[in-house]
């Protein structure tokens, strides 16, 4: 499947993947993250069970202290 | 009407919310007042300390005073016509709606990642159509190339999004103020309904 990950096209061998698996494969390992799938906020407890499909738009934002 | 008069007249009827009056919030506020924003809503529970003066828009004689009170004073010295609503209190899910519900755009300017996270989720749930401009990752110096804007619908994130060890990599004026100015410029872009000027 090919998705738009953080505004860039990104291809994976699998047909569908959970958000958690994509985060693992792409090494998003921050403690504080905001995740949006096709514009909708996805809470942390739903990352393992939320399925991402071809053509989806996934945004993963790192939140870092300081300001 | 000149172009600058046109811009300030557009901004004079707009209301921007700023969540936090530290390095990001205090500098965003100053830039927006200079640009001619009509109404600012700012909330923070903290007081000005000497350590804040390396990057925040405060002065030594304001150490010990509530940040929002000192900031209001500084902003009104730039433009006394600006309406500044200042709340000297912690922002919580209980008061966030009253504070920011009527703002045209909201700037997230918290210090802690945990606060940034609940606020981003809360705003996205309760006000999905309201633009939220966040700051994430601006410690240290150098490597400005890594600072960027990530656009995700109505959510905008300014910074390098890189985690650093706070004890080894302090917050310093140039990178913090740079990210604050990116946030302030995005406020103008959104309020003036203009795309960024493209280089030809």
């Amino acid at each position: 499947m090919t998705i738009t990950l953080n505004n860039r096209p990104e291809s994976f061998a699998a047909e569908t993947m959970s958000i958690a698996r994509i985060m693992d494969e792409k090494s998003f390992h921050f403690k504080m993250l905001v995740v949006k799938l096709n514009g909708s906020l996805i809470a942390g407890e739903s990352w393992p069970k939320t399925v991402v499909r071809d053509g989806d738009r996934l945004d993963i934002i790192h939140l870092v202290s300081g300001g | 009407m000149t172009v600058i008069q046109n811009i300030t007249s557009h901004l004079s009827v707009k209301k921007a919310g700023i969540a936090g009056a530290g390095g990001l919030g205090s500098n965003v506020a100053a830039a927006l007042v200079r640009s001619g924003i009509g109404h600012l809503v700012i909330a923070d529970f903290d007081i000005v300390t000497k350590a804040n003066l390396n990057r925040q828009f405060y002065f030594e004689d304001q150490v010990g005073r509530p940040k929002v009170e000192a900031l209001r004073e500084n902003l009104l010295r730039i433009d006394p016509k600006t309406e500044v609503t200042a709340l000297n209190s912690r922002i919580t899910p209980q008061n966030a709606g009253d504070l920011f519900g009527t703002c045209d755009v909201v700037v997230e300017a918290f210090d802690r990642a945990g606060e940034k996270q609940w606020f981003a989720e809360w705003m996205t749930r309760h006000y999905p159509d309201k633009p939220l401009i966040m700051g994430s990752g601006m410690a240290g110096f150098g490597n400005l190339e890594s600072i960027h804007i990530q656009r995700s619908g109505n959510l905008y994130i300014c910074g390098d999004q890189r985690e650093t060890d706070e004890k080894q990599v302090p917050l310093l004026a140039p990178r913090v103020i740079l990210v604050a100015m990116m946030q302030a410029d995005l406020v103008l872009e959104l309020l003036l309904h203009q795309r960024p000027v493209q280089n030809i």
Side-chain angles (χ1 to χ4, degrees):
Chain A
M1 65 171 186
T2 299
I3 66 168
T4 303
L5 176 62
N6 289 347
N7 296 316
R8 286 198 186 91
E10 192 82 49
S11 294
F12 298 90
E15 298 256 318
T16 63
M17 283 168 93
S18 70
I19 290 178
R21 206 175 130 204
I22 291 175
M23 288 168 71
D24 198 44
E25 224 167 88
K26 300 302 294 179
S27 301
F28 286 99
H29 292 313
F30 277 63
K31 288 193 296 277
M32 296 292 175
L33 294 168
V34 169
V35 175
K36 286 168 80 181
L37 179 62
N38 298 323
S40 301
L41 188 77
I42 309 291
E45 61 268 22
S46 302
W47 296 343
K49 60 178 189 240
T50 305
V51 177
V52 180
R53 294 182 168 80
D54 188 63
D56 281 352
R57 178 196 163 100
L58 182 65
D59 292 312
I60 301 176
I61 295 149
H62 289 151
L63 298 178
V64 184
S65 283
Chain B
M1 207 187 258
T2 64
V3 175
I4 188 80
Q5 283 168 337
N6 197 8
I7 287 173
T8 50
S9 123
H10 264 88
L11 293 175
S12 70
V13 294
K14 299 294 185 185
K15 182 174 174 182
I18 304 179
L24 293 175
S26 65
N27 288 302
V28 168
L32 293 180
V33 169
R34 291 186 201 282
S35 304
I37 193 94
H39 190 171
L40 282 182
V41 178
I42 306 169
D44 198 304
F45 65 94
D46 215 354
I47 57 162
V48 180
T49 68
K50 200 143 186 171
N52 296 151
L53 300 181
N54 80 334
R55 65 191 188 280
Q56 306 189 14
F57 182 48
Y58 300 105
F59 301 94
E60 198 184 28
D61 59 5
Q62 295 177 319
V63 168
R65 293 182 55 197
K67 282 187 178 175
V68 291
E69 194 185 285
L71 182 57
R72 190 171 188 281
E73 198 172 277
N74 297 342
L75 296 174
L76 294 180
R77 284 182 69 188
I78 297 172
D79 185 352
K81 293 190 305 298
T82 314
E83 193 177 337
V84 181
T85 302
L87 178 74
N88 180 23
S89 175
R90 193 179 283 276
I91 299 165
T92 66
Q94 284 71 44
N95 65 16
D98 287 341
L99 279 165
F100 303 121
T102 61
C103 292
D104 297 297
V105 55
V106 177
V107 174
E108 175 281 318
F110 287 122
D111 181 27
R112 313 307 312 170
E115 292 177 297
K116 290 175 189 287
Q117 188 173 40
W118 83 253
F119 193 67
E121 295 189 350
W122 191 90
M123 285 291 297
T124 309
R125 281 216 173 84
H126 292 85
Y127 296 99
D129 299 325
K130 204 182 289 293
L132 175 63
I133 304 170
M134 306 187 67
S136 177
M138 67 212 74
F141 56 85
N143 194 18
L144 289 185
E145 295 87 341
S146 64
I147 292 182
H148 63 284
I149 298 172
Q150 184 177 348
R151 295 170 190 250
S152 171
N154 269 325
L155 190 60
Y156 301 79
I157 304 93
C158 304
D160 61 20
Q161 295 190 40
R162 288 181 189 182
E163 201 139 38
T164 49
D165 180 350
E166 285 170 54
K167 292 195 176 65
Q168 304 299 321
V169 188
L171 292 162
L172 300 167
R175 276 175 137 257
V176 172
I177 296 172
L178 179 76
V179 170
M181 293 308 101
M182 291 168 81
Q183 291 182 295
D185 187 68
L186 269 173
V187 171
L188 299 194
E189 182 188 325
L190 292 164
L191 293 182
L192 297 170
H193 300 292
Q194 281 177 344
R195 309 308 312 159
V197 177
Q198 302 291 325
N199 290 322
I200 298 164

